[in-house]
Amino acid sequence: MKKRLLPVAVLVTAAFGLTACAGGSTGGDDKGDVSAKGETLDVWIMEGTNPDSDAFFDEVGDAFTKETGAKLNVEFVQWADAHDRFVTSIAGGTTPDVAETGTTWTAEFADAGALAPIGDYVDEEDLGGDLVEGLVTSGTYDDELYGMPWYAGVRSLVYRSDIFEELGLEAPTSWDEIVSAGEAIKAAHPEMMAFAVPGDAEFGVYPWVWGAGGEVATKDGDEWVSGLDSSESQEGIQFYTDLALKHGFSSAGATTWKETDVLDNFAQGNVAMALMGSWTPAAIVEKNAELEGKFAATPIPGKDGGIAPSVLGGSHLSMFNTADNPDLAWEFIKLMTTGDFAAQWGEQSGYFPGQQSLLTETMSSDDPLVAPFATQLVDGGGTVPVTPKFGAVQAKKTTNTAIQAILSGQKTVEQATSDAAAEMNEIMNGN
């Protein structure tokens, strides 16, 4: 873990100024004025998302100190170590004031009683209607907001635009059009996978479930009930796996592929269509500069049109209940997640900010690798079930196991989804 104490402020532009919130720590005559000279805010940030994090947080620290008088102490934590680190610190009461929490962790930590609700702060700032809905959903637990949307990535349909142009194809807008395009590509370019169907990529499955009108899981009273075995979900999973089994667009080798394998094979020119993340285009070009300008993205089509939801991957900023000065903690959260710093983080990291107003210009971009992902994020962003037990479902690889069983011919869609739903229910409702 890398630890840095950021320096006392220098003068920064007023564009980075903070709007005061109610209940300032020093109780001055001006309600909401946070003056915390001599205090230090401890923050954990995951390492690696932004390659320029050091310089970025130097600037943030200066602005934060300018506004509040407090110092910012940032610790960078490896993603691989972070969950265990959080669990240990929660048990020992040694959590930071604020931390980056992955969208699938926020409900878990809220359920453990470790997080402080921030909905009142959001309401006072009138920010609620300007936050990306999917990130708000994943940051909400028991009707309280515990995770402030910070940044997100989303998966859309990425395709070889040069090959589509060569064959006179348009970007697919329905499932039938995916099949039609795949058949044309398969005939003209048999050396390529027309559509990659990876077996070990959970988040590539759910858009087909949602696109057919199904659900991953829903809450019924006090219990969570998996929807993977519904007729709608089975239809979506049947279509997805049939891209490989019936239409021959993928390969048997892809049965064990992860998303990184899809990326590598797309970059190598082996794949014409696949679900891929908004953070991947730069990596594709880095791996193969010859593909620059030869691929594009489009929102994932629903069965008969429209946009099929896609899981938002990203992070919240959460305030822990051990924070000595909640108002100071909120000032940092607001500084990071709204306005210029939020936009700057998105530009540097390749992710989208969690504030919808910052996405307006992005959605109108004519870049074939920008606007479609932004549209997917705002109009077709989804979230996995917001329960602290869903992390255990993912750790068990329940959905991946079902898809691999189908692709390998071990189970039918009905058998695999029935077994997956039973396992999911047991995990989500277990003690």
Side-chain angles (χ1 to χ4, degrees), residues 268-291:
Q268 292 165 14
N270 300 329
V271 173
M273 289 187 284
L275 298 195
M276 301 177 72
S278 52
W279 54 92
T280 60
I284 292 171
V285 173
E286 184 177 345
K287 289 174 180 290
N288 184 357
E290 292 183 3
L291 284 182

Side-chain angles (χ1 to χ4, degrees), residues 39-72:
E39 296 185 33
T40 297
L41 190 78
D42 293 320
V43 176
W44 289 1
I45 299 294
M46 301 304 109
E47 188 168 18
T49 305
N50 183 346
D52 202 24
S53 290
D54 286 344
F56 178 84
F57 279 103
D58 280 340
E59 191 174 357
V60 170
D62 290 343
F64 181 71
T65 305
K66 171 67 176 178
E67 281 299 319
T68 68
K71 292 182 180 180
L72 187 63

Side-chain angles (χ1 to χ4, degrees), residues 32 34 47 57 63 75 103 112 114 137 153 155 160 200 241 252 261 296 303 315 329 333 372 377 381 395 415 430:
V34 175
E47 188 168 18
F57 279 103
E75 295 187 19
T103 52
T137 299
R155 294 158 185 82
R160 285 286 298 272
D200 198 8
T241 53
D261 297 306
K303 177 185 174 184
S315 288
I333 291 172
L377 183 83
Q415 291 170 332

Side-chain angles (χ1 to χ4, degrees), residues 153-158 259 262-263 274-282 284 295 297 310-311 350-352 369 373:
V154 70
R155 294 158 185 82
S156 293
L157 177 57
V158 177
E259 289 190 65
V262 176
L263 170 62
L275 298 195
M276 301 177 72
S278 52
W279 54 92
T280 60
I284 292 171
F295 64 102
S310 177
V311 176
Y351 284 83
F352 293 110
L369 287 167
F373 282 116

Side-chain angles (χ1 to χ4, degrees), residues 391-409:
V393 173
Q394 294 178 300
K396 187 78 171 179
K397 292 200 168 186
T398 300
T399 299
N400 297 16
T401 299
I403 297 301
Q404 289 178 324
I406 297 166
L407 292 175
S408 63

